[in-house]
Amino acid sequence: MTWLTEPFEFAFFRHGVMVATMAGALCGLIGVYVTLRGMSYIGHGLSHAIFGGAAASALVGFNFYLGAGLWGMASALAIGRVTRRRIIGSDAAIGVITTASFAFGIALLGLYGQVRTSIDAAIFGSVLGVTAADVWVVAGVTLAAGAVVFAFYRKLLFTTFDPEVADVSGVNTARMDALLMLLLSVSILATMKVLGVVLIAAILVIPPVVARMLTNSFARMLWLSTLVGALCGFVGMILSFHLDVSSGATIVLVGAAVFAVVFAVTGPGGRRQAAGLDAHDAPVGAGRPGR
Amino acid sequence: MSESLLRLEGVTCAYDGAPVLVGVDVDIAGSEFLGIVGPSGSGKTTLLRAMLGTVEPVAGRMWRRPGLRMGYVPQVETVNWSFPVTVAEAVLMSRTTGRRLPWPSAAEKAEVASVLDRLGIGGLGTRHIRELSGGQQQRVFLARALLRRPQLLLLDEPTSGVDVRTRHDILHLLADLNLAGLAVVLTTHDLNGIAAHLPQLVGLNTEVTGRGTPREVLTPDVLERTFGAPMEVLDHDGMLIVVDPAELVTRTVARATISVTSSRGEAS
């Protein structure tokens, strides 16, 4: 029992575990929409893009959230602009713009920053830099995301499942898409410090996949994924303290272990249920299935 | 004929500058039961989308009766069957106005149960959409459209990929709904199984090739303009049967080959 309670004697850990648990829950919640809409790569790319902004903000002493947020938004707009010109596809645009932004961040920190520590902490996550203010930011974002999902539950579900019919049925699907992108960007921004740039994408994907293997109902998948995310964050932080390994890595490893157990327990049925998640073939209404 | 619900006048639609529909005139009345027939790529789905307002015409005019409620049933082939929704969740999706709470009210639950019962799939509300037969899956999306209490129901290939019995059931279901006052417009490329049984047809191949009763549209002339190949129409006790001569030749040759092979077998 001491093993479990010992880390809580340290203020930095208490902050870290609160942030990690909420970050896990937040990513689990948003991850349901991200995986069902085949947007995992966007989540992965956005976290990398935001890293460039975070590095630049840190160097010039600009507010982290504001600087990284604006950078992320600029990257998202650039992706949209390149894609709209139809020169290259959205996957390629995400690959080029976000990795360039990531490389820019690495170069900035390499040239002017406290190289090793800063890069490791930003890429793999660290609880050492988590302040009380960060706890409030993550709590605020988690509550806001929960409120948005609650208030727009029906419209978000319809837009995710069948955007064309949702549009015909009076749902402003463009607004729902924008809302979801905003939620995703803000979630990445808020959880980047503790989860790390590289590992955020894993926490956006693993909890929903685990939840999908356990249920066929969307409502149940939402709360199950949130719960699995929170559990991974909490347990991962305890392990991170004792193993002296970065928080992002242990959180993702706990998630991977939960996935392996559920994968084995649910058998072929669970695997079949999760098979269609994040498939990159067009879902309902996307593109032009017929003429 | 009752008053118009929707009217397209000289509507032209294009994707990336390539015209898919050219100068289409269609008038949908309140009591309509209309089939749009044409080959793949003839613009059937685009015409439905133009009616729904999800595709903007590049030329022509479109008029909808103010406040017109439309229900839309997409092609089942485009549905993501791995999506985690139960039948009841899928049907309830179309109820996006009014109540904002995620869970359904008692009245909404009763309404969903009632529409499922009406379509003969009552009791399947808690099943996942993939666990149903083709006909049941089609009815789920029909139920979702009906929950909006539409005045005009648009269906894209509602019988593709289903067996003969299910096709028959769906056709009768749509006829009953039409008799109850719902205007129905569907697309199909099934001339004998569906189109021949509908009261009104529109032939489409980018342009409207014909409009009228099956007897007026399912003629060799209109069919050749629609499908770009000669077709024969047989009258079997008042029922029209469209025959593709190429298929007839293939079958005749195949039958002759079988007969020659079997007589050789007998001789040896």
Side-chain angles (χ1 to χ4, degrees):
Chain A
M1 201 62 186
T2 323
W3 192 82
L4 190 67
T5 56
E6 184 197 345
F8 288 91
E9 290 167 11
F10 303 95
F12 83 89
F13 184 83
R14 287 197 296 277
H15 288 155
V17 83
M18 279 192 274
V19 166
T21 308
M22 288 188 288
L26 175 62
C27 289
L29 179 71
I30 302 303
V32 169
Y33 295 99
V34 169
T35 51
L36 288 174
R37 295 163 72 108
M39 284 168 54
S40 303
Y41 192 50
I42 296 179
H44 183 77
L46 267 180
S47 63
H48 282 66
I50 286 171
F51 175 73
S57 307
L59 287 177
V60 299
F62 198 64
N63 180 280
F64 166 82
Y65 292 109
L66 205 57
L70 287 172
W71 195 285
M73 206 182 295
S75 303
L77 287 174
I79 291 166
R81 201 180 181 88
V82 171
T83 309
R84 261 197 304 279
R85 289 181 69 182
R86 296 169 190 269
I87 299 165
I88 57 172
S90 61
D91 278 15
I94 292 166
V96 171
I97 291 165
T98 61
T99 49
S101 181
F102 182 64
F104 178 68
I106 298 266
L108 275 185
L109 288 177
L111 286 172
Y112 306 108
Q114 300 163 318
V115 187
R116 210 49 276 157
T117 330
S118 304
I119 293 179
D120 283 354
I123 294 178
F124 303 113
S126 167
V127 288
L128 294 173
V130 175
T131 62
D134 292 325
V135 176
W136 284 111
V137 167
V138 177
V141 170
T142 308
L143 279 175
V148 167
V149 168
F150 187 85
F152 295 100
Y153 174 87
R154 293 183 182 211
K155 290 180 178 176
L156 282 171
L157 168 60
F158 206 176
T159 306
T160 303
F161 179 60
D162 201 340
E164 187 181 27
V165 183
D167 198 27
V168 171
S169 306
V171 178
N172 188 334
T173 51
R175 192 178 292 168
M176 289 301 116
D177 288 343
L179 190 63
L180 203 63
M181 277 304 286
L182 183 72
L183 277 181
L184 177 62
S185 310
V186 172
S187 302
I188 289 171
L189 198 60
T191 58
M192 204 172 103
K193 272 189 182 175
V194 72
L195 292 174
V197 172
V198 176
L199 302 169
I200 286 177
I203 287 300
L204 279 169
V205 172
I206 295 173
V209 172
V210 169
R212 182 67 190 94
M213 286 194 284
L214 292 170
T215 183
N216 266 328
S217 156
F218 181 79
R220 275 198 293 277
M221 184 178 169
L222 261 189
W223 69 256
L224 262 174
S225 178
T226 308
L227 192 69
V228 170
L231 188 79
C232 292
F234 183 81
V235 176
M237 279 302 295
I238 306 270
L239 288 177
S240 164
F241 179 86
H242 290 291
L243 300 174
D244 196 19
V245 175
S246 70
S247 52
T250 48
I251 290 168
V252 171
L253 284 174
V254 170
V258 173
F259 169 80
V261 170
V262 174
F263 187 81
V265 170
T266 53
R271 271 164 249 166
R272 206 167 32 246
Q273 278 172 209
L277 280 179
D278 206 30
H280 286 271
D281 49 347
V284 161
R288 285 185 247 135
R291 299 175 83 191
Chain B
M1 184 69 100
S2 56
E3 63 173 302
S4 281
L5 296 179
L6 189 147
R7 199 179 305 127
L8 278 76
E9 291 170 1
V11 163
T12 296
C13 294
Y15 291 131
D16 300 329
V20 181
L21 289 178
V22 177
V24 170
D25 296 306
V26 176
D27 193 334
I28 309 294
S31 56
E32 195 82 65
F33 192 178
L34 175 74
I36 300 165
V37 296
S40 300
S42 60
K44 299 191 295 290
T45 300
T46 303
L47 180 53
L48 284 192
R49 288 179 176 169
M51 290 177 182
L52 288 163
T54 57
V55 169
E56 282 296 316
V58 292
R61 277 171 17 109
M62 203 180 71
W63 172 88
R64 271 191 222 99
R65 198 172 80 181
L68 175 68
R69 284 193 310 276
M70 291 189 283
Y72 176 50
V73 182
Q75 289 184 38
V76 285
E77 282 87 350
T78 63
V79 172
N80 176 5
W81 297 107
S82 297
F83 198 95
V85 277
T86 60
V87 169
E89 282 176 328
V91 173
L92 196 65
M93 264 182 212
S94 61
R95 191 52 60 81
T96 51
T97 50
R99 187 178 167 91
R100 277 209 146 181
L101 294 173
W103 52 88
S105 65
E108 283 177 331
K109 278 184 189 170
E111 216 175 329
V112 169
S114 157
V115 75
L116 291 179
D117 279 342
R118 185 178 171 197
L119 297 183
I121 49 172
L124 299 180
T126 55
R127 296 265 286 273
H128 184 254
I129 51 169
R130 195 171 48 188
E131 294 168 2
L132 309 176
S133 68
Q136 289 170 332
Q137 287 174 336
Q138 189 68 55
R139 283 160 199 248
V140 169
F141 291 96
L142 187 54
R144 184 178 70 179
L146 291 179
L147 199 71
R148 284 175 54 75
R149 297 192 193 115
Q151 293 145 327
L152 170 61
L153 182 65
L154 303 167
L155 306 98
D156 199 0
E157 300 279 1
T159 57
S160 70
V162 298
D163 57 41
V164 177
R165 170 72 194 270
T166 306
R167 188 179 67 197
H168 182 83
D169 289 348
I170 290 172
L171 199 57
H172 276 268
L173 192 63
L174 293 175
D176 289 344
L177 290 169
N178 180 248
L179 276 176
L182 180 65
V184 178
V185 175
L186 60 87
T187 65
T188 185
H189 58 259
D190 184 350
L191 297 175
N192 293 320
I194 295 290
H197 305 281
L198 299 177
Q200 287 287 315
L201 294 177
V202 164
L204 188 72
N205 192 353
T206 309
E207 298 173 347
V208 171
T209 53
R211 161 101 209 218
T213 62
R215 207 157 275 282
E216 290 164 326
V217 174
L218 300 182
T219 63
D221 274 358
V222 175
L223 288 171
E224 185 164 0
R225 282 204 303 273
T226 309
F227 290 88
M231 287 185 172
E232 286 175 19
V233 181
L234 308 177
D235 193 330
H236 178 72
D237 287 342
M239 197 173 82
L240 297 175
I241 300 170
V242 179
V243 183
D244 178 356
E247 199 181 327
L248 207 62
V249 169
T250 315
R251 282 187 188 172
T252 311
V253 170
R255 208 173 294 138
T257 312
I258 291 165
S259 137
V260 168
T261 315
S262 62
S263 28
R264 275 184 191 160
E266 279 165 21
S268 62

